Amino acid sequence: AMQSLARVYCLLAVSFLKAKAFNCSACAKPAECKNAANLIHWSQHSKNYWIKWGAASDMLLLEHSDPNSADANTTLTDFCSCLWSANTPLCASPTYYLEVSKIPSCLTYAGYNVGTFRAAANLKNGFFKCMNAAFCGWLSTTTNPCTGAVTAYTTSTTVGYATCDDAESITNSSAGKEAFKAAFEASLAGVKVTDTVLTKMGCDTTRRLSDNTRILQTTKPQVKGKFDYTSPKEAVPKQNTFASQLTTQLQAKNLPYQGMTVKTFAAAVKMTTAPTPAPTPAPTPMVDAAVAAPATFFFVVILSVSISTYLM
């Protein structure tokens, strides 16, 4: 048992070293600026509020049990402006009061199902800003993305890379496939990727004729990503949204991302059949709906041990 605990702390120490740099110390108590697995960051405000935010800078939560607290609401906005800036998309987005027990169970965050992420990050009710469409797009509507029939679609895009080695490191690793899948799911609300196929392109040399001279030509290295997925509506990720999410996923997995270019997705093509998910209670607008996905034990142990060490 002691050896297992030691391994947990060792893994956490490594994750702390790989964390993205935020201006946390200038905005909250420096001694409480922590993170786990390059997924969730947290600290305690000078007013003693606990605040958590995603490593992808796409969500911000100030924990508070009173949805009518004007001070907590204002503090969330001020903290966001301090951590990033007031004109960033996240800080300029609406503020909601999040009830974690009502988050729709079919959603994902950074590739993890809601149950895993909720338990690992020790999420609590509070004031909330979010730009991750897969996790919180439902907050601004009265529609529960987990209810009703979904339709199966397929689409694709290509991502340009600087070298063939970079492209090959993506297509030849399971981590590359996981990064593309997680980025896709984080870019569209209510979608579930059922199959991801990555293909390296533009790295085979060919001889062609030019002015009666045989020359060696190559095309730019690319990775073609083909996605089969289910969705409550016909839609594909926005180019910039997917590019941002993919960059975050590749960084977290130590895969090449610098200099890559993402092309616009092809139009969604409806497939022949699609599964119908189990019904989930419809959420109330401006709040959330139910969570129940058993967490992956090892992942939750790592993050929960870290968070419980520093949080209330």
Side-chain angles (χ1 to χ4, degrees), residues 108 110-111 132-135 153-157 176-198 225-231 233-238 241-247 249 262 265-269:
T108 60
N132 186 305
F135 189 64
Y153 298 96
T154 185
T155 186
S156 64
T157 187
K177 185 175 181 179
E178 292 169 1
F180 271 67
K181 176 184 176 182
F184 189 99
E185 292 182 336
S187 301
L188 276 180
V191 305
K192 180 67 177 178
V193 174
T194 56
D195 188 42
T196 306
V197 178
L198 301 183
K226 177 182 175 294
F227 304 90
D228 295 342
Y229 61 103
T230 58
S231 173
K233 62 181 181 179
E234 182 177 336
V236 297
K238 293 182 179 179
T241 302
F242 179 76
S244 176
Q245 294 290 346
L246 183 59
T247 297
Q249 292 295 328
V262 177
F265 274 84
V269 176

Side-chain angles (χ1 to χ4, degrees), residues 47-59:
K47 295 181 180 180
N48 294 325
Y49 297 128
W50 284 101
I51 304 178
K52 299 171 183 175
W53 61 97
S57 304
D58 57 358
M59 61 85 89

Side-chain angles (χ1 to χ4, degrees), residues 82-144:
C82 179
L83 199 62
W84 295 289
S85 68
N87 60 356
T88 59
L90 179 64
C91 297
S93 68
T95 298
Y96 301 94
Y97 186 79
L98 182 73
E99 295 180 74
V100 296
S101 65
K102 296 181 180 179
I103 302 174
S105 60
C106 69
L107 304 186
T108 60
Y109 182 82
Y112 298 102
N113 63 52
V114 168
T116 300
F117 177 64
R118 179 186 169 190
N122 192 26
L123 293 184
K124 297 180 181 179
N125 294 353
F127 292 90
F128 187 60
K129 287 180 176 290
C130 184
M131 293 295 292
N132 186 305
F135 189 64
C136 54
W138 62 279
L139 281 168
S140 60
T141 72
T142 57
T143 303
N144 185 341

Side-chain angles (χ1 to χ4, degrees), residues 5-311:
L5 188 59
R7 292 191 189 100
V8 169
Y9 281 114
C10 179
L11 287 170
L12 289 171
V14 171
S15 70
F16 292 154
L17 291 175
K18 293 182 178 180
K20 289 184 180 180
F22 293 92
N23 190 23
C24 179
S25 297
C27 307
K29 296 179 180 180
E32 300 297 343
C33 291
K34 308 294 181 182
N35 78 90
N38 201 26
L39 175 68
I40 191 76
H41 293 247
W42 68 90
S43 190
Q44 189 176 37
H45 194 270
S46 60
K47 295 181 180 180
N48 294 325
Y49 297 128
W50 284 101
I51 304 178
K52 299 171 183 175
W53 61 97
S57 304
D58 57 358
M59 61 85 89
L60 180 66
L61 172 68
L62 184 147
E63 295 178 352
H64 202 282
S65 59
D66 181 7
N68 299 312
S69 173
D71 183 68
N73 194 343
T74 300
T75 302
L76 174 74
T77 301
D78 292 343
F79 184 84
C80 192
S81 298
C82 179
L83 199 62
W84 295 289
S85 68
N87 60 356
T88 59
L90 179 64
C91 297
S93 68
T95 298
Y96 301 94
Y97 186 79
L98 182 73
E99 295 180 74
V100 296
S101 65
K102 296 181 180 179
I103 302 174
S105 60
C106 69
L107 304 186
T108 60
Y109 182 82
Y112 298 102
N113 63 52
V114 168
T116 300
F117 177 64
R118 179 186 169 190
N122 192 26
L123 293 184
K124 297 180 181 179
N125 294 353
F127 292 90
F128 187 60
K129 287 180 176 290
C130 184
M131 293 295 292
N132 186 305
F135 189 64
C136 54
W138 62 279
L139 281 168
S140 60
T141 72
T142 57
T143 303
N144 185 341
C146 302
T147 59
V150 294
T151 304
Y153 298 96
T154 185
T155 186
S156 64
T157 187
T158 56
V159 180
Y161 281 90
T163 68
C164 288
D165 287 342
D166 285 350
E168 188 171 351
S169 67
I170 299 294
T171 57
N172 286 1
S173 70
S174 59
K177 185 175 181 179
E178 292 169 1
F180 271 67
K181 176 184 176 182
F184 189 99
E185 292 182 336
S187 301
L188 276 180
V191 305
K192 180 67 177 178
V193 174
T194 56
D195 188 42
T196 306
V197 178
L198 301 183
T199 307
K200 181 180 64 174
M201 302 169 58
C203 291
D204 296 325
T205 57
T206 58
R207 291 186 178 274
R208 298 181 181 181
L209 291 176
S210 176
D211 297 329
N212 297 321
T213 303
R214 297 181 69 84
I215 61 174
L216 196 65
Q217 290 185 331
T218 60
T219 56
K220 183 178 180 180
Q222 295 179 331
V223 171
K224 179 179 180 180
K226 177 182 175 294
F227 304 90
D228 295 342
Y229 61 103
T230 58
S231 173
K233 62 181 181 179
E234 182 177 336
V236 297
K238 293 182 179 179
Q239 179 182 8
N240 292 340
T241 302
F242 179 76
S244 176
Q245 294 290 346
L246 183 59
T247 297
T248 298
Q249 292 295 328
L250 293 175
Q251 279 184 293
K253 298 179 186 300
N254 294 318
L255 290 171
Y257 65 92
Q258 293 181 333
M260 71 177 187
T261 55
V262 177
K263 290 188 177 181
T264 302
F265 274 84
V269 176
K270 185 182 295 186
M271 301 175 71
T272 54
T273 60
T276 302
T280 303
T284 301
M286 311 297 282
V287 205
D288 344 294
V291 168
T296 302
F297 178 75
F298 184 68
F299 178 74
V300 172
V301 167
I302 292 177
L303 297 184
S304 297
V305 167
S306 174
I307 291 174
S308 62
T309 301
Y310 296 102
L311 301 187

